[in-house]
Structures are given as C-alpha cells and as structure tokens.
Amino acid sequence: MKAEITPQEYEAFKSFLQDACGILLGDNKQYLVKSRLRRVLEENGLNSLGALLERLKRPGRASLKEVVIDAMTTNETLWFRDNHPFRILQEKLLPEFAARSSLAPLRVWSAACSTGQEPYSAGMIVDEFRRQKPGKLRDVKITATDISKSVLEVARRGEYEMIAIGRGLSPERQKQFFTPSANGGWQIRPQIKSMVEFKELNLLERYMLGKFDIVMCRNVLIYFSADLKKDILTRIHATLNPGGYLILGASESLNGLPDLYEMVQCQPGIIYRKK
C-alpha cells in the first residue's frame, strides 16, 4: 500500500467491514488495516485503500470481499485459552450432562473457532472425562464455525507446527493427543478430530446448525457494536436446548437480556444458563 489512508477512506472501510461481518473498527486503527491488507492490495495491483473500496463496489466481487474479510478477521489463538472455561467444562458441565438420562448426543458449538484450537481443546476434555468415567457421554458432537475459509482449512487438517503446539498445550497432552507428521508438524489424533465438524458461518447471518447444549462464543463479541452483540446473543439463545449453557470470553460480559439467561458463578469463572 503506497498511499497513506485518508480519513475518508478509513471511515468508508469501517462501514464496509461492519456491514460485511459486524466488526467495528475503533479509531486510529489505520496501521492494522495497512498491515492486514498489504498483501491483498499487492496481489490485486492496487495501491490504496480507496482503490480497493472502489473495486469492491463492482459487480462480481464476492471472492475479493471474502479475501478482505478473511484478512481482517484471521487471529492467532491458543490451546485451552483462559483455562477456566475448560475446567468448568470438565468439572461441572460434563458431569451434569452425563447424569441426565437423555439418549440424545451432547452437542457443543464453538463459534468463531479460528484454526481449531478451541473445539479440539474441548474434544480433549471430553476424551479425558470419558477415560475417568467409562461408559459416560458416549456420543458427543462438536460443531465449530468461523467466517474465515483459510482458518477453517487449517482447522480441518488438524495439523500444526511446533510453534502453534507450544501455545497453551502441555507436553503430556501433546503426547496423548497428537502424533508427529511427515513434514515436521503435529497431527491431532483421529478420536479427537472425528468429534469435530467445521462449518463456515457469519455470525450476522442465519444459523442453520440445529440445537446445542453448550455454546462457546468467546473473544469475538468484543469486536461488535452493542446492538449487534445483543442480536447475536438473542439468536444464540434460540439455538440452546432447555437448560443449555453459554460460555463467553474472560473479558466479555452479558449486559442486559435478563429474560434470556441467568448467571452461574463457578468460582472462578462465570457462565450463563438459558432460562
């Protein structure tokens, strides 16, 4: 990107990004936009953000729009990020659902799953619970979604370089749940990989995923406006089975919607039960 981003270009791009995927860019994030979109502009022979916006307005530019959204939404993530949600899953939620007499599978939704660390971490917790409680939770299905096609491709492969493996994964779990791959990476074992199904989904669009017992929507709502956040949480509520749980990120809270959710203190950590 040769030219500096003008205030007008930045405001126009903020509007485009919010309309396209709900992300609300703050002020003075021009450096972030330049770093994320530099390669996109180079590959399309463009030298300014304004030129990119003009091209996006032309008919038949859906693929370019996807590339731009992908560049702006791709983030690094960790195994067992923030720890508390996975402890709550292991010590409270899985025992609670295992004690129920329902023959239906336990269904978990990992929203905004990025490159797969969150749903695979949840799968590891399920596997460990099964080892401790043989015969319990025989059928668990984890649906993981993200708006980015490129991160979903990584997630579906389930193969990670050592630098990614080292972000939050203990040596014991690495040995138990991964095998070395031919190119020097680490491949997640089939019993975890088969538990997770990955799908492309924009949280602003219609959810066609079925019903869930647990929804993990962590570290994504912070990028949305208050109105969009409320809308997404209302629609997530509709996907939850009676008595189902919502797990948010450590820096996120459920302000409002008292008719939909009740707070559950887990000491430490907070989750929300569907009313």
Side-chain angles (χ1 to χ4, degrees):
M1 186 181 295
K2 298 177 182 178
E4 291 299 317
I5 298 175
T6 67
Q8 294 79 11
E9 288 174 337
Y10 186 64
E11 288 302 316
F13 184 74
K14 283 173 61 177
S15 296
F16 160 79
L17 194 63
Q18 186 171 11
D19 290 342
C21 62
I23 290 180
L24 184 62
L25 279 176
D27 296 331
N28 303 316
K29 296 289 186 179
Q30 288 89 337
Y31 69 93
L32 176 65
V33 174
K34 288 187 69 171
S35 64
R36 290 286 181 95
L37 296 183
R38 180 174 285 108
R39 179 175 294 180
V40 176
L41 266 66
E42 290 175 354
E43 291 176 349
N44 286 274
L46 302 170
N47 64 4
S48 72
L49 185 61
L52 175 63
L53 289 166
E54 284 299 318
R55 184 166 297 184
L56 285 167
K57 293 177 183 177
R58 299 177 187 174
R61 297 296 171 176
S63 60
L64 179 59
K65 179 180 176 181
E66 287 182 2
V67 170
V68 172
I69 293 172
D70 192 63
M72 292 302 301
T73 57
T74 300
N75 292 294
E76 293 185 353
T77 187
L78 309 172
W79 303 96
F80 300 93
R81 183 175 179 178
D82 300 327
N83 191 46
H84 292 324
F86 298 98
R87 179 191 57 78
I88 293 168
L89 181 65
Q90 187 168 41
E91 297 179 4
K92 173 179 172 56
L93 300 186
L94 294 185
E96 178 178 324
F97 285 107
R100 298 184 182 183
S101 58
S102 173
L103 297 177
L106 174 68
R107 297 201 65 216
V108 181
W109 176 17
S110 169
C113 67
S114 189
T115 45
Q117 280 86 337
E118 178 177 271
Y120 285 142
S121 294
M124 294 179 211
I125 293 294
V126 169
D127 189 81
E128 290 170 351
F129 181 84
R130 285 170 166 168
R131 292 171 188 269
Q132 296 169 359
K133 307 282 186 179
K136 301 292 185 180
L137 292 178
R138 285 173 291 181
D139 195 4
V140 177
K141 299 183 183 300
I142 301 172
T143 298
T145 66
D146 202 278
I147 193 175
S148 169
K149 289 184 177 180
S150 64
V151 300
L152 288 173
E153 289 174 2
V154 174
R156 288 190 182 104
R157 286 197 300 271
E159 184 179 345
Y160 301 89
E161 296 178 356
M162 189 61 214
I163 189 169
I165 287 290
R167 293 178 177 141
L169 191 69
S170 68
E172 293 77 17
R173 280 177 167 150
Q174 179 185 343
K175 182 178 180 180
Q176 182 175 355
F177 296 114
F178 289 83
T179 56
S181 61
N183 60 5
W186 290 84
Q187 178 70 52
I188 197 156
R189 292 186 183 272
Q191 77 265 26
I192 306 301
K193 189 176 183 182
S194 63
M195 210 181 301
V196 186
E197 179 184 20
F198 292 95
K199 295 184 177 183
E200 184 180 350
L201 179 75
N202 185 336
L203 286 173
L204 301 188
E205 298 173 356
R206 189 179 179 187
Y207 306 164
M208 301 284 288
L209 302 171
K211 293 287 189 175
F212 295 95
D213 301 293
I214 300 168
V215 175
M216 305 179 79
C217 186
R218 305 168 59 234
N219 308 302
V220 62
L221 295 179
I222 54 175
Y223 299 108
F224 296 146
S225 68
D227 287 343
L228 280 179
K229 175 181 175 180
K230 184 176 181 180
D231 177 63
I232 290 169
L233 290 171
T234 300
R235 288 190 285 147
I236 286 177
H237 179 271
T239 73
L240 281 167
N241 284 320
Y245 291 93
L246 167 67
I247 303 176
L248 299 179
S251 62
E252 297 167 325
S253 61
L254 189 65
N255 295 322
L257 303 176
D259 296 334
L260 301 184
Y261 298 94
E262 64 175 316
M263 183 185 298
V264 179
Q265 295 277 358
C266 295
Q267 299 178 345
I270 296 171
I271 58 177
Y272 303 89
R273 183 189 292 117
K274 177 177 181 174
K275 285 187 175 180

